[in-house]
Amino acid sequence: MKGTVLHVDLTAGTSRIVLHEDIFSGYLGGSAAGTELLFTYGDPRADPLAPESPVVFAIGPFSALYPVATKTAALFKSPLSGELGESHAGGRLAMSLREAGIDALVITGRAENPSYLAVENETAEIKSASTFWGQSATATDRILREAESKTGRKISVIRIGPAGERFSPIACATVDGSRHFGRLGLGAVLGSKNLKAIVVSGTKTLPLAKPKEFKTVYDILYDRVVKSKEMKKYHDLGTAANVGPLSMIRGLPTRNFTQGNFEGAEAISGEQFAKDFLVQHTACAHCQCGCIHLAELREEFAPFHYSTNRVSYDYELIYAMGSMLSLSSPEDIMKLLLVTEKQGWDVISLGCTLAWATESFLRGTLSLEETGGLPLAFGDGAAYLEMLGRMAKGQGEFYRDLEKGCAFCARKYGGDEWAIQYGGVEPGGYMTGENFAITCMMGVRHSHLDDTGYSIDQKLLNADQPLEEQVRAQVKEAQWRMVLNSLMICLFARGVYDEQIILEGLAALGLKWDNSGLQEMAEKSLLRKYEWKALCGFDHKSVKIPEKMYSVQTATGLMGRKSLQKRLRLYRKYAGLKSRHD
Amino acid sequence: MSIKYLRVINRDQCIGCFSCMYACSRMVRNSAGSGKAALRVKGYAGVEGAFSIRVCARCADPDCAKACPTGALTPAPGGGVRLKKDLCISCGACVKACAISALQWDEEEKQPIPCIFCGQCVKYCPNDVLAMQEIPEKEADQR
C-alpha cells in the first residue's frame, strides 16, 4: 500500500492527499496504521469532541481483494472512555475506499454548518446537510443513496442518527445496511464535527501484480469460506446461535449480570429467531459467507393495517435488549432494536445502561421522581420502549443522562457497584469468568473482541489449564489480532486466515513479510495502542471490575480478587507493558 | 451445436456479496476489484436485502450494437456482442441502449464490457443464484 491518506479539514473546508507510505509498510494498514495516524494527526490530551480531534478510517492490504477482508477500522478519541476509541465496521466501506484509491481517510476540524462529506476518487467535497439534519440514521441512508447515486457504481454511506447529533457518547456511526462502528462513541465525534454523513465511491480498477499467485491464494480462501466448516455457524444461524449454549453454561448475562442463565433463552434463541422471523441473509461486499441476518417485524398500527420493518439481529443485540432486560419476546426485542437503529445508539452500551437503571429503581436509588413517573421493571418491554422514546425526545434530565452511558449515570445517581462497565465501557454479552473480565479491563478497546477471554473461559469447563497459560494465550491472541485487524479481515474469518495463507496472500500482492516480521509488528502495534491510551490518562494499573461482579456466579464460578490481580500482573508482563510503562 | 446463456435462476437467494462481479474482473480481466465485471448486482435504496442481478441476455439482435455509431460493438455469432476496442469512441450509447442495464462500463478504459459467457461468475456464486444454460442452436434461433 502506498499509504494514500485523504486528509479533510472541515474548518478550513479543504482536502489534500498525503502519502504515509512508511506507516503502511511498517504496520500493514487498518488498525495498527490507523493508530499511527492518530499519533500523527491527533493530540491524546485534547477533548474528544474538540474540532482538532481527528477521526481516522483505515483499510488494509487485503481489503476488497481477498474474500472476507471486509472491515474498516475507525480510530478516534472516545468520548465514552476518554481514551482510545476504536471500532470496526463492514458493509461496503472498505470496497469503496479501495476503489477510490484511498488507504485512509482522516477528518479534522468542525464544519460551520450541518454537512456531509462526499468522497470520490481521492477528492472530497463538503456539502450541506441542513435539509436532513435531525433525520434518523435509516432515513439518512435512503436520502443519500438517491442524492449521491452514481450510475453503475457502488457507494458506501456512513451516517449518524439523532443520538450522534446530540453528542451522546454511546452514539454509533452506521454503515450501509445495518453495519456499525458501534462502540466507543464515534457518532458523537462525527456529530461534534457537524458531520451527518460520509459518502464514499470510486472508479479505480485494481491491476494484479502476480495474477497467477493471486488466484491460487484466492481459491484456497474461497473454498475455506464457502465449502469448509470454518464459517458455517455464521452463515447458518449466525452469532445468535450462541444464545442457547451460553445460557446453558450460565454465561448469558441476565438482568444486569445477576445470573448467567436466562429462563427465556429458548424463546429468543437463534433457532427461534430463524424459525419465526428470519427473512434473508445479506453480506458485506466481498464476503461469500453472508452473516447478516434480517428479521421482519410486522406490526398492526390500526385494525387490519400493518407496518413492516426489517431488523438485523445478532447475539450481542439479543443479549443487550433481551436477556439483560429479561425480555423473552423477540417482537419486544425487535421493537427496541428498530428505535436504536434509527436513533443511532450503540446497542450494547444502551442495553447495559437500561439494565443499570432498572436495578437502581428496584434497589430504590432511583425513584419515580427521576423516571418521570415511569416504574422500571425487568421484563417490561413497553416501559423500555417508552424509555427509548423519552431519550430520543430528550424528555427530562434523567432521560438525557441515560444516553451518556452507565458510568456517567452511576457517578451522578449512585449505583456504581452495579453499573456494569470497564473503563467506562459497557461489556459484550459474556458472563464466562475471569478471562473475560481481564479482556474487558485490559483489552485495548475494552472489547470482547480484543482477545479471546470468553472462549478460554468456556474451554475451562471441559479441561483445566494453568492460570499462567490462560493469560499467555490471551495476550498471544490479543497480539495476533493486531495482524488480523490491520489486514482488516473480519474476525468471523479468523479460522480461515492462518499465518501461512496470510504470508502467501501478502506475497501474491508483492508485499514482503515473514513470520517474525508479523510477530514483531503485532507486539509493537499493541504496545503503541497502550502508549496512546496512557497519554490519554489510562492507567493499566488501576483497572477494576464492577463490585457486583465479585458476588455473581459466572460460567466458571465466582471470581476472586487475588486471582484477578495475579492475572493482571501476568497480562502486563506478557504484553511487555511493565518494562515500558512502569 | 448449442449456445451458452448466463441466467439468473435464484434471484431471491442473492446475499449481495458481489462475489460474481469480483470473479469476472479477476478471472477474465486480471483485475482484483469489481470494476471490470460484465455483470452487475444492484441494490435498492432503503430496501435492505433486495438485489437485482443484471446479466447479458445474449440477444440475437442486440440493441447495444445497434446503438453503436462506429461499428465497434457488433453482434457476435450465437448472440451477444463483440468489441473492437480501437473503433470505440467512448460515447456510452451502447450502455444507454441496454434496457436491462446489463451491459457494463469500464470506468478506466471508458469502454463497454461485453460478457463472454465463460461461467466464472457462476463458479464463484456461493448461493446458486446464477447458472449457465445450454440451448441447442436451432431452438435458440427461434427465441
Side-chain angles (χ1 to χ4, degrees):
Chain A
M1 296 180 101
K2 277 187 259 167
T4 308
V5 175
L6 177 64
H7 176 207
V8 179
D9 180 344
L10 293 170
T11 306
T14 56
S15 69
R16 64 191 177 124
I17 290 286
V18 191
L19 291 181
H20 286 286
E21 197 169 358
D22 48 335
I23 289 179
F24 280 79
S25 60
Y27 288 93
L28 283 174
S31 171
T35 304
E36 295 306 308
L37 291 171
L38 258 195
F39 273 106
T40 308
Y41 288 86
D43 177 2
R45 283 160 289 258
D47 185 314
L49 303 186
E52 63 267 28
S53 288
V55 173
V56 177
F57 297 98
I59 59 171
F62 284 7
S63 298
L65 302 185
Y66 290 118
V68 210
T70 51
K71 297 275 185 172
T72 303
L75 281 298
F76 49 97
K77 184 167 178 181
S78 166
L80 187 64
S81 68
E83 31 120 344
L84 179 72
E86 177 171 350
S87 195
H88 302 173
R92 295 175 191 170
L93 182 56
M95 172 197 202
S96 295
L97 284 167
R98 175 67 91 178
E99 290 181 353
I102 298 164
D103 300 327
L105 170 65
V106 177
I107 301 167
T108 55
R110 175 184 287 151
E112 202 177 335
N113 300 303
S115 302
Y116 75 98
L117 193 63
V119 174
E120 190 179 352
N121 281 344
E122 301 179 350
T123 64
E125 194 181 343
I126 301 162
K127 298 183 176 180
S128 172
S130 299
T131 50
F132 56 97
W133 194 259
Q135 291 278 359
S136 72
T138 42
T140 302
D141 185 54
R142 290 194 294 271
I143 290 162
L144 287 175
R145 277 193 195 280
E146 191 178 332
E148 291 291 325
S149 114
K150 305 269 188 287
T151 313
R153 210 192 298 171
K154 309 276 174 224
I155 65 169
S156 181
V157 180
I158 312 167
R159 69 280 181 187
I160 59 170
E165 296 175 15
R166 294 189 298 263
F167 305 164
S168 158
I170 64 166
C172 66
T174 311
V175 183
D176 301 324
S178 53
R179 301 298 87 197
H180 308 88
F181 290 110
R183 319 260 24 226
L184 293 156
L186 178 62
V189 182
L190 294 177
S192 75
K193 299 193 171 309
N194 249 333
L195 196 60
K196 179 72 174 167
I198 304 161
V199 182
V200 184
S201 74
T203 55
K204 299 277 166 68
T205 53
L206 309 162
L208 285 168
K210 301 177 180 177
K212 197 172 153 240
E213 288 87 341
F214 179 83
K215 287 173 193 173
T216 305
V217 174
Y218 192 100
D219 283 346
I220 294 169
L221 290 167
Y222 181 86
D223 285 350
R224 286 186 191 173
V225 171
V226 177
K227 295 172 191 165
S228 80
K229 283 184 183 162
E230 291 295 348
M231 298 193 76
K232 191 172 160 39
K233 170 181 135 187
Y234 300 109
H235 177 61
D236 288 352
L237 284 176
T239 55
N242 292 337
V243 173
L246 270 167
S247 179
M248 209 91 104
I249 61 163
R250 294 193 299 277
L252 175 66
T254 301
R255 291 182 283 276
N256 201 31
F257 281 79
T258 296
Q259 61 190 67
N261 60 312
F262 180 40
E263 64 283 357
E266 204 182 316
I268 59 168
S269 65
E271 290 82 352
Q272 204 62 41
F273 263 87
K275 191 166 159 274
D276 295 337
F277 301 99
L278 175 63
V279 291
Q280 198 177 0
H281 292 75
T282 59
C284 296
H286 215 167
C287 168
Q288 292 90 352
C289 168
C291 78
I292 304 170
H293 287 62
L294 294 172
E296 208 156 71
L297 174 65
R298 182 172 177 254
E299 292 177 275
E300 190 175 34
F301 61 86
F304 310 113
H305 290 256
Y306 298 90
S307 67
T308 305
N309 282 287
R310 284 191 167 187
V311 184
S312 136
Y313 67 89
D314 254 306
Y315 170 73
E316 302 293 347
L317 288 69
I318 295 174
Y319 134 74
M321 289 293 157
S323 60
M324 270 295 263
L325 307 179
S326 202
L327 295 180
S328 52
S329 146
E331 283 101 331
D332 280 349
I333 294 172
M334 287 192 285
K335 284 177 197 172
L336 295 175
L337 290 179
L338 196 58
V339 182
T340 307
E341 189 73 63
K342 288 181 178 179
Q343 282 291 311
W345 285 304
D346 169 37
V347 68
I348 295 178
S349 286
L350 182 61
C352 289
T353 306
L354 295 179
W356 164 85
T358 312
E359 182 161 352
S360 298
F361 188 86
L362 296 175
R363 285 176 184 253
T365 55
L366 281 178
S367 67
L368 288 172
E369 200 180 329
E370 284 90 11
T371 66
L374 185 70
L376 310 186
F378 286 117
D380 189 345
Y384 288 122
L385 202 56
E386 174 65 22
M387 287 174 86
L388 296 193
R390 292 187 188 187
M391 286 170 71
K393 288 186 208 127
Q395 206 173 314
E397 190 178 350
F398 174 69
Y399 292 100
R400 288 194 293 276
D401 287 337
L402 276 184
E403 67 172 356
K404 292 173 184 159
C406 73
F408 175 91
C409 288
R411 278 196 300 276
K412 183 161 172 178
Y413 298 95
D416 183 54
E417 307 96 278
W418 59 86
I420 309 302
Q421 50 85 16
Y422 299 80
V425 185
E426 296 80 3
Y430 304 90
M431 204 164 157
T432 52
E434 292 185 351
N435 282 290
F436 177 65
I438 297 293
T439 306
C440 294
M441 285 187 277
M442 289 303 292
V444 283
R445 302 183 275 157
H446 302 281
S447 161
H448 61 287
L449 295 170
D450 280 325
D451 56 44
T452 184
Y454 62 91
S455 165
I456 297 174
D457 279 333
Q458 289 176 64
K459 283 178 191 149
L460 291 176
L461 296 174
N462 297 322
D464 201 16
Q465 191 185 15
L467 188 143
E468 288 81 2
E469 275 180 35
Q470 294 169 37
V471 183
R472 200 185 285 277
Q474 207 171 357
V475 174
K476 208 176 156 202
E477 183 67 19
Q479 289 166 338
W480 175 241
R481 289 188 180 199
M482 290 295 115
V483 174
L484 296 177
N485 291 340
S486 299
L487 294 166
M488 295 321 304
I489 292 159
C490 173
L491 287 174
F492 290 175
R494 60 186 180 269
V496 167
Y497 279 92
D498 56 45
E499 193 172 18
Q500 186 57 34
I501 199 75
I502 285 173
L503 289 172
E504 285 170 23
L506 286 164
L509 297 174
L511 297 168
K512 285 186 188 122
W513 283 84
D514 58 21
N515 304 50
S516 60
L518 284 184
Q519 182 61 29
E520 203 179 302
M521 174 266 161
E523 288 171 20
K524 191 174 163 196
S525 59
L526 187 67
L527 287 173
R528 283 291 274 171
K529 286 181 194 289
Y530 283 115
E531 202 178 321
W532 208 82
K533 286 158 73 76
L535 290 170
C536 292
F538 172 75
D539 179 3
H540 63 74
K541 278 179 288 183
S542 63
V543 292
K544 60 185 180 71
I545 69 171
E547 201 53 36
K548 176 178 177 175
M549 293 310 296
Y550 286 114
S551 63
V552 294
Q553 284 289 334
T554 71
T556 50
L558 279 174
M559 293 199 277
R561 286 173 204 272
K562 275 188 182 165
S563 63
L564 277 178
Q565 283 309 320
K566 187 176 178 192
R567 285 173 189 275
L568 285 171
R569 275 196 304 276
L570 288 167
Y571 199 104
R572 293 182 197 114
K573 184 177 145 195
Y574 296 147
L577 275 168
K578 210 171 164 69
S579 55
R580 285 202 182 199
H581 298 285
D582 268 18
Chain B
M1 272 293 284
S2 60
I3 296 174
K4 282 184 189 163
Y5 288 87
L6 172 59
R7 296 285 190 228
V8 179
I9 54 166
N10 291 309
R11 185 200 68 88
D12 45 7
Q13 290 180 15
C14 178
I15 58 170
C17 68
F18 312 141
S19 183
C20 52
M21 295 171 59
Y22 280 101
C24 183
S25 292
R26 179 177 70 254
M27 302 307 287
V28 183
R29 289 165 193 88
N30 281 334
S31 179
S34 66
K36 287 190 182 277
L39 78 169
R40 181 166 165 75
V41 178
K42 282 168 71 93
Y44 293 91
V47 192
E48 205 173 341
F51 302 103
S52 180
I53 304 102
R54 306 298 169 84
V55 301
C56 180
R58 197 162 197 175
C59 307
D61 185 18
D63 291 338
C64 54
K66 276 189 265 186
C68 178
T70 65
L73 207 60
T74 53
V81 285
R82 275 182 186 162
L83 177 69
K84 289 179 194 125
K85 288 189 172 188
D86 48 343
L87 292 181
C88 178
I89 55 166
S90 305
C91 68
C94 52
V95 168
K96 287 194 197 92
C98 180
I100 58 170
S101 304
L103 184 63
Q104 301 306 310
W105 188 249
D106 185 328
E107 294 264 9
E108 188 185 43
E109 294 189 42
K110 307 288 177 202
Q111 288 184 339
I113 313 171
C115 177
I116 59 168
F117 312 101
C118 64
Q120 289 292 350
C121 52
V122 177
K123 205 172 128 193
Y124 287 94
C125 172
N127 279 355
D128 304 321
V129 175
L130 301 167
M132 293 306 293
Q133 286 181 348
E134 293 196 24
I135 298 174
E137 205 168 350
K138 276 189 181 170
E139 278 179 43
D141 278 348
Q142 291 157 9
R143 286 157 66 90

